[in-house]
Amino acid sequence: MSLLKHDDLYGAMHYLRNAPVIDMYAVSNNVILAQQFADKMFLIQKKVNLCRLSENAKLQASMSNENHVAIIISYSGETKFILEVAHILKQKQTPIIAITSIADNHLSSLS
């Protein structure tokens, strides 16, 4: 029931360092967290795409590829819309970093 493992953290760091584009997905209050992250990445010249409209998130996911990395923020990891986006990203072979508050959930199993 661990939420964070050393190897997972190292893998996430590797993806973030090497990906030319970071795509972020979040809903509700988590969009604020995503925007704060995007602002910090801007300062170190990392390109971050963040959709503020949920309709555009599926389009953004469909334009992703294995060179991007996706960060998905979800409290439960069970939000239907977020899982739909995650499935699209899996089809596009985009690495997924899931940030959730519950260790065992569908989103974590897709990341």
Side-chain angles (χ1 to χ4, degrees):
M1 184 89 178
S2 173
L3 288 175
L4 189 61
K5 297 177 184 135
H6 176 270
D7 291 346
D8 293 341
L9 185 59
Y10 184 81
M13 182 183 67
H14 172 77
Y15 284 130
L16 291 171
R17 181 179 292 145
N18 295 318
V21 178
I22 301 168
D23 295 324
M24 297 206 64
Y25 304 89
V27 293
S28 192
N29 291 336
N30 291 327
V31 173
I32 296 168
L33 297 172
Q35 183 61 60
Q36 289 173 338
F37 177 82
D39 291 346
K40 288 178 181 11
M41 292 296 100
F42 176 77
L43 295 174
I44 61 170
Q45 300 178 346
K46 285 297 267 188
K47 180 177 169 107
V48 176
N49 296 321
L50 171 62
C51 286
R52 285 175 178 51
L53 301 174
S54 57
E55 308 88 53
N56 292 344
K58 289 182 183 179
L59 178 60
Q60 178 174 294
S62 68
M63 293 188 300
S64 188
N65 61 48
E66 65 277 356
N67 295 319
H68 290 212
V69 64
I71 299 175
I72 304 177
I73 305 172
S74 172
Y75 179 78
S76 67
E78 300 293 340
T79 306
K80 181 182 177 200
F81 167 75
I82 290 291
L83 292 174
E84 290 170 355
V85 169
H87 281 288
I88 294 169
L89 291 165
K90 279 303 247 192
Q91 290 174 350
K92 302 299 278 184
Q93 299 180 349
T94 302
I96 299 171
I97 298 170
I99 301 174
T100 69
S101 66
I102 302 169
D104 297 322
N105 58 62
H106 285 98
L107 180 58
S108 293
S109 69
L110 291 169
S111 66

